[in-house]
Amino acid sequence: MDPQSTSFPDTQRQSSWLLSSRRLLCFWLVTLALVARAEPPVASSEDVELGRRIYMEGILPSGEPLKGKRQEAVQVEGAEAACETCHRRSGMGSLEGNIVITPITGRFLFATDENRPLALVDPRAPKNLTRAHTPYTEESLAKVIREGIDVSDRTLSPLMPQYALSDVEIKAVLAYLRQLSSEVSPGVGDETLHFATIVAPDVDPKQREAMVDMMRTAFAQRNASQKVYSGRMRMPIDLIPRTLRNWKLTVWELQGAQETWGTQLAENYQREPVFAVISGLSNTTWAPVHSFCQQEKLPCLFPSVTLPPAETAFYPLYYSRGVALEADVLAKHLRDQGKNTPRRLLQVYRDNKVGRGASLALTEAMKGSEIQVENRVLYGDEPIELKAALKGLSSKDAVMLWLRPADLSAVNKAAPKQLPAVTYVSGFLAADNYDFVPKTWKSHVRVVYPYELGAKRQKNVAAMKEWLKTWQLPLVDEAFQTEVFFNLLFLTDLTSQILDNLYRDYLVERAEDMLSLDSNVSAYPHLSLARGQRFASKGAYIARFAPDGNLVADSEWIVP
Amino acid sequence: MSLRAALTLIIFFAAFFSPRPLLAGESNDGQKTDAPEYARALANYDTPDVAVIRQDGKKLSFGKELDDGRPVILNFVFVSCSAICPMLSHLFSKVQTKLAKDGQKAHMVSISIDPENDTPAKLAEYAKKFGAGSDWNFYTGTREVSIAIQKAFNAYRGDKMNHTSIILMRAKPGKPWLRVEGFLSPDAVAREYHTMLQQP
């Protein structure tokens, strides 16, 4: 290999650089494999790459699509036949209905009694573990893939297709499975499981403090309970290897311009690699964090952000699409107004990331409708500015205020005594601060409300309130704090599910599969994910003020 | 027990604790080992009177959709389901072709069990992917509606990951439903369908 050509690509040597960089990658893979595992014959990295294409993409070395057939049912082909669709990216499998899709990483296939790993196969039945079997050999593996007859001579569920793979292809798959999820992910120490949370600059210090305090309290509580727990080691269930590691939380505080966040994150990560990022807080963008998570293959679970990037990726998961979701909900609501459809929609926003993002999303969502959208940017802090932004309203208009409480509090000074137009407020941005609404307006103000309302809401959030009281933590912002609280509980569930199989991909997959199982302790009506879904809450209400001042639903739960 | 201790327990052990002694490899419940086969049963279900949305965005009465005079073949799917659903949908696709060849006009109905994700647009795309013709429709609606339909057909299992392969068929309104559960070939579905139509 020529190191010169790898470090200094230029246009003339593009192709040779591409080639050698591929070789460089191969070199690293082989080295890694050698370091990781001395025993089994080390497969060539080319095999691993060929295996990856079969496993992840359903493409054979020839470039032809992978084909699987089923005895009784129908064929599959290409991406749909890829092993990943069922055994998942981590190779740890999953569960569909009552059919267990078994883990097929090398650790599981070739395990002997001395080194047998264990995994839970059913989140609904915590006692249901993977079964022991005689270790597979290359031959028996070929047989199970080609004929659906496993190492114990059992005929597999017809869900598992049969693949007429050649010896070379089997070898490639085998090479891929051997290295797949073979080592625990970064951030997993012998005694410690490292997590981080991320705080962007310019967040409300009260919110920051509330989040960090809740997280530290829950981590301490969890670690204390583990001690009690590991001292109890009497029940056979205690013998199941699960992570008894202490959880450690680091807070990554970002500073300065967002262009520098990536570097800051990389430095933090270098100092202390973490297994996952839990929650997080930003009033502006989240895009640099999102990219960082994807790049480091780092699960970033459910930050509290108002505008997540629209492009989804595997590792970052979100509660919702934030203000972009509200924009779509409002657009759908306005389009369905029939004869009450406003002629013009005036949207008022600040000229910042979230304001621009929200207004763009709404403009986009209103495209093709008869309602004319007019943008009014709010500058400065004087009430007169807002007055200017709101002038010329009539009853044929509708207004959307993409404003936070600081701006909303000036609204009643700026607008007329009687509000001529129906005025919508962003629920995410208003964060349950509606004191600004004067009595005379109540009939005209609506909130695009992404959370649950009324008694159900009270029921959902009761657990958190109780917990805050127990630990003497303040209630600053209910909806936001339930996001943090839910996340902590969910993390507990997730880690107890994955046992000692501490692979980040597996964590994300479990999150995808388990989210709908959890009893809901968040302010959202319900949260649910599935393979490939990245936003757990998918709708919002249009809410109005009841005579008693409380918010009540004025629409169904709208899912755009 | 103090409230604090109680909460600790509830919050952090609920998922863990199993009183049943257990050793590695001992448990095998839930793991299906059978060779291909399926179960069939006749049942009467009351169609819930709910509003559904078809993949073309039309809001319709579910009851009317089922009672338009055609025989019905119904299943439950969702777009993000990667293992079972593609198989069920391929199966429907094959059945569609078979019935068309036999000159049969059945109404094939696929209900989304992940309605908030499966918007009409997503279902339309999914339908196209599986070559659904005009007699094969996909329906979504509110979460409550989807659950009501699943419950009405005794197919609700609490969450979508817990979903099994069920096919329901009915010759016409007022007749019982034939419920088949398990892995069927397109031939088997067509056979069951024809047998059902021949019942007096």
Side-chain angles (χ1 to χ4, degrees), chain A residues 72 74 80 85 97-98 124 127-129 131 154 221 242 470 489 492 517 526 528-529 533 557, chain B residues 4 7 11-12 16 22 29-32 80 82 90 114 116-117 143 159-163 185:
Chain A
E72 278 299 307
V74 281
E80 230 168 62
T85 59
N98 54 2
R124 291 172 299 254
K127 56 186 166 52
N128 203 344
L129 290 163
R131 279 183 298 181
R154 186 178 60 100
Q221 189 187 359
R242 71 163 58 86
T470 308
L489 282 194
T492 313
L517 292 175
H526 41 263
S528 139
L529 290 176
Q533 292 183 19
W557 179 249
Chain B
R4 184 176 294 205
L7 270 172
I11 292 173
F12 291 105
F16 270 125
L22 181 122
D29 13 350
Q31 302 204 357
K32 197 174 147 64
S80 316
S82 61
H90 273 305
D114 188 14
E116 293 209 340
N117 185 69
R143 200 174 111 93
D159 81 280
K160 60 184 180 296
M161 290 313 291
N162 201 358
H163 127 261
S185 66

Side-chain angles (χ1 to χ4, degrees), chain A residues 85-325:
Chain A
T85 59
C86 294
H87 295 282
R88 311 296 277 268
R89 193 184 277 243
S90 69
M92 292 295 296
S94 65
L95 181 87
E96 288 229 8
N98 54 2
I99 302 166
V100 174
I101 302 168
T102 34
I104 56 166
T105 64
R107 283 186 71 221
F108 281 84
L109 290 179
F110 307 113
T112 57
D113 283 339
E114 290 82 62
N115 64 3
R116 189 176 313 286
L118 277 175
L120 285 172
V121 294
D122 186 349
R124 291 172 299 254
K127 56 186 166 52
N128 203 344
L129 290 163
T130 43
R131 279 183 298 181
H133 57 64
T134 27
Y136 273 92
T137 60
E138 189 164 338
E139 210 171 291
S140 51
L141 188 71
K143 183 166 174 183
V144 74
I145 294 174
R146 288 175 181 152
E147 299 167 34
I149 296 173
D150 79 2
V151 68
S152 326
D153 260 348
R154 186 178 60 100
T155 303
L156 295 188
S157 154
L159 184 59
M160 162 76 188
Q162 292 162 23
Y163 300 92
L165 295 184
S166 69
D167 288 348
V168 173
E169 289 157 356
I170 292 278
K171 228 176 108 203
V173 169
L174 180 68
Y176 186 73
L177 295 180
R178 271 201 203 282
Q179 56 78 52
L180 184 60
S181 301
S182 56
E183 296 294 312
V184 290
S185 297
V188 182
D190 287 342
E191 313 255 296
T192 313
L193 197 50
H194 299 259
F195 295 101
T197 190
I198 299 175
V199 183
D202 304 325
V203 302
D204 178 355
K206 268 211 210 103
Q207 276 199 330
R208 180 207 170 278
E209 201 179 328
M211 178 178 83
V212 172
D213 286 353
M214 284 175 73
M215 295 186 77
R216 289 207 192 288
T217 305
F219 272 49
Q221 189 187 359
R222 188 265 176 199
N223 290 340
S225 70
Q226 286 302 100
K227 274 197 200 94
V228 177
Y229 183 71
S230 51
R232 217 188 54 205
M233 287 294 191
R234 235 157 263 133
M235 311 275 288
I237 186 131
D238 296 329
L239 300 176
I240 297 174
R242 71 163 58 86
T243 190
L244 295 171
R245 295 171 176 84
N246 260 329
W247 287 7
K248 182 164 176 283
L249 179 71
T250 322
V251 183
W252 292 348
E253 313 253 12
L254 299 174
Q255 271 141 27
Q258 53 152 302
E259 291 73 32
T260 66
W261 292 5
T263 320
Q264 295 177 45
L265 289 167
E267 283 166 8
N268 277 312
Y269 183 79
Q270 196 107 57
R271 214 170 298 133
E272 182 184 341
V274 295
F275 182 59
V277 171
I278 308 302
S279 290
L281 196 49
S282 171
N283 281 338
T284 59
T285 180
W286 194 248
V289 181
H290 180 94
S291 310
F292 177 77
C293 299
Q294 187 61 18
Q295 182 195 314
E296 287 297 338
K297 300 185 183 322
L298 177 62
C300 289
L301 308 186
F302 307 111
S304 293
V305 292
T306 36
L307 183 61
E311 285 283 309
T312 58
F314 184 78
Y315 295 95
L317 305 183
Y318 297 96
Y319 279 112
S320 83
R321 292 191 294 122
V323 288
L325 169 67

Side-chain angles (χ1 to χ4, degrees), chain A residues 4 70 317 337 354 371 471 481 503 517 519 521 525 557:
Chain A
Q4 286 284 310
R70 292 192 178 103
L317 305 183
Q337 291 292 292
V354 172
I371 306 166
W471 298 95
Q481 280 175 279
Y503 314 115
L517 292 175
S519 68
V521 295
W557 179 249

